[in-house]
Amino acid sequence: MKLFVDTANVEEIYKAAELGVVSGVTTNPSLAAKEGISDPENYKKTVQEIAKVISGPISVEVVSIEAKDMIEEGLKIADWIDNVWVKIPSTLAGFEAIHKLSDQGINTNQTLCFSTNQAILGAQAGSTVVSPFVGRLDDIAQDGMAMVGEIVDIYRMHGIETLVMAASIRHPFHCSEAARIGADISTVPFGIIKKMAEHPLTDKGMELFLNDWFGSKK
Ligand code: E4P
């Protein structure tokens, strides 16, 4: 399973790239707004900055509602950088946009996916990747990870090539579970990547090793 970083914060992305643990980035309008980005020109500049350090896919979301507007917006976004995945919501209009954009060779990320049936529709429409939102389903007392597992099983059973990216990841356990269940990618906030690295026994072990090593020189 690959790890993507789920943020529009350029510093975090540069740091994650330095660590060598992420191979792509996902952004969305809320993440962009959090960084003070709320117009296409600034969004474009930020995405181009990100593309300087990340050679893998960078997801950029449309903010239109009608299919024709999503397609128009998606075509513009596809020109920003080489490795873009245009994020399109899981609506009827979205499926039409995914279909028409993928027919033109543009990679799409079916976002806001909350059911296996939505994932089946997106794959038929030709989406490059589907993003089932785990944490937001958990929030309403539904099993988000079970949905990821179901989508993985169905895609594999039917030889569907659309990738499965576990999204709306809230804690490190979500991440290891997504890997165990067979997701192709997990997109993870930078804070959770840091938590994935932490273990109290690692800290304690380092303290012991360093005390023994430097203590023996006194
Ligand atoms: C995915 O592509 C989304 O940007 C993201 O994972 C949403 O996560 P949230 O539910 O924490 O906002």
Side-chain angles (χ1 to χ4, degrees), residues 6 26 28 31 87 133 136 167-168 170:
D6 193 27
T26 51
N28 66 37
L31 292 172
K87 266 176 120 174
F133 274 39
R136 291 193 199 187
S168 188
R170 298 280 165 77

Side-chain angles (χ1 to χ4, degrees), residues 3 7 29 169 196 200:
L3 274 186
T7 180
I169 296 289
M196 287 167 72

Side-chain angles (χ1 to χ4, degrees), residues 196-210:
M196 287 167 72
E198 289 168 7
H199 199 287
L201 290 181
T202 305
D203 297 341
K204 198 175 166 196
M206 276 190 67
E207 197 186 325
L208 276 174
F209 285 155
L210 296 182

